[in-house]
C-alpha cells in the first residue's frame, strides 16, 4: 500500500495570526449588523451613513484577510480550506478552534445581513405604496365619504388635488 506523501511544513503561526485578526473583525461586523438591524427596525436613520461606512470598511478588511489566507493556501500543498482545516486540527488545534469559531461568526453575519435585507425590502415596499397613494397612482383606495362611510375607489387623485 503506497504511503501518502507528507505535506511540507506549513506556517501555522501566520495562519493563526490571520484567523485571529479576522475573528476580531468578524465580531466587529456582527456588532455593526446588529446596530444596522436595530436602526432599520426602529427607523432611526440618523448616523446611518456612518454605520454603513464602518460596515464597508469592515467588510473590506475581511476581504483582505480572505485574500491573504487564500495566498497562504495557494502556496501550500493543501487542495482546499477543508483539507487545511483537517491538517490544522492535528498540527495547531487552538488555531483550528478559532477557525471554526470564525466560520460560525460568518454564518451569523450572513443570517443577520439577510434579515437586514428583508427589512429594507419591506420598508421600500411600504414607502412605495404610500408614495403611490399620495400621488394618486393607487389601484384601489378605500376612502371615506362625508357621512364617514367607506367608499372604494378604482383610482385615486393626487393628494394635492383632494
Amino acid at each position: 500500500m503506497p504511503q501518502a506523501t507528507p505535506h511540507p511544513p506549513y506556517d501555522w503561526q501566520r495562519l493563526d495570526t490571520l484567523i485571529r485578526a479576522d475573528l476580531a473583525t468578524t465580531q466587529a461586523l456582527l456588532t455593526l449588523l446588529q446596530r444596522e438591524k436595530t436602526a432599520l427596525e426602529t427607523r432611526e436613520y440618523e448616523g446611518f451613513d456612518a454605520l454603513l461606512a464602518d460596515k464597508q470598511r469592515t467588510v473590506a478588511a475581511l476581504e483582505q484577510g480572505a485574500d491573504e489566507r487564500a495566498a497562504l493556501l495557494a502556496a501550500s500543498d493543501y487542495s482546499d480550506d477543508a483539507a487545511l482545516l483537517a491538517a490544522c486540527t492535528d498540527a495547531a488545534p487552538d488555531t483550528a478552534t478559532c477557525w471554526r469559531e470564525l466560520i460560525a461568526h460568518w454564518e451569523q453575519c450572513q443570517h443577520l445581513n439577510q434579515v437586514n435585507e428583508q427589512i429594507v425590502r419591506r420598508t421600500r415596499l411600504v414607502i412605495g405604496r404610500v408614495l403611490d397613494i399620495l400621488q394618486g397612482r393607487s389601484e384601489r383606495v378605500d376612502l371615506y365619504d362625508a357621512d364617514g362611510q367607506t367608499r372604494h375607489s378604482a383610482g385615486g387623485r393626487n393628494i394635492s388635488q383632494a
Side-chain angles (χ1 to χ4, degrees):
M1 176 173 221
Q3 289 186 349
T5 54
H7 288 281
Y10 189 79
D11 190 353
W12 299 113
Q13 183 59 46
R14 178 72 182 137
L15 180 65
D16 186 76
T17 301
L18 290 172
I19 287 175
R20 288 181 190 278
D22 282 349
L23 185 57
T25 306
T26 302
Q27 288 169 333
L29 181 59
L30 273 172
T31 300
L32 290 170
L33 287 168
Q34 188 58 53
R35 285 180 42 211
E36 179 183 59
K37 180 178 182 264
T38 300
L40 289 168
E41 287 175 335
T42 60
R43 293 186 173 105
E44 292 290 331
Y45 302 120
E46 188 174 319
F48 205 73
D49 288 340
L51 177 66
L52 291 178
D54 288 345
K55 185 175 146 185
Q56 287 175 334
R57 281 190 293 277
T58 304
V59 168
L62 285 171
E63 288 172 348
Q64 181 180 353
D67 290 345
E68 290 179 38
R69 281 192 323 279
L72 198 58
L73 176 65
S76 75
D77 268 358
Y78 295 101
S79 58
D80 58 19
D81 280 348
L84 183 58
L85 180 56
C88 183
T89 301
D90 293 333
D94 289 344
T95 302
T97 300
C98 283
W99 195 347
R100 286 185 189 90
E101 187 178 347
L102 179 61
I103 291 168
H105 283 350
W106 282 336
E107 289 169 354
Q108 289 173 344
C109 285
Q110 254 185 332
H111 174 74
L112 257 177
N113 196 51
Q114 289 170 345
V115 167
N116 291 353
E117 285 177 20
Q118 289 172 346
I119 294 169
V120 168
R121 270 191 243 115
R122 186 178 64 227
T123 301
R124 282 184 180 166
L125 180 66
V126 168
I127 289 171
R129 286 180 181 165
V130 169
L131 286 174
D132 285 348
I133 290 169
L134 293 175
Q135 295 171 348
R137 294 188 301 214
S138 178
E139 301 214 2
R140 180 180 160 181
V141 180
D142 292 338
L143 300 174
Y144 296 97
D145 61 18
D147 297 325
Q149 300 296 318
T150 303
R151 184 183 71 174
H152 302 293
S153 171
R157 294 189 322 201
N158 187 310
I159 193 73
S160 65
Q161 298 170 348

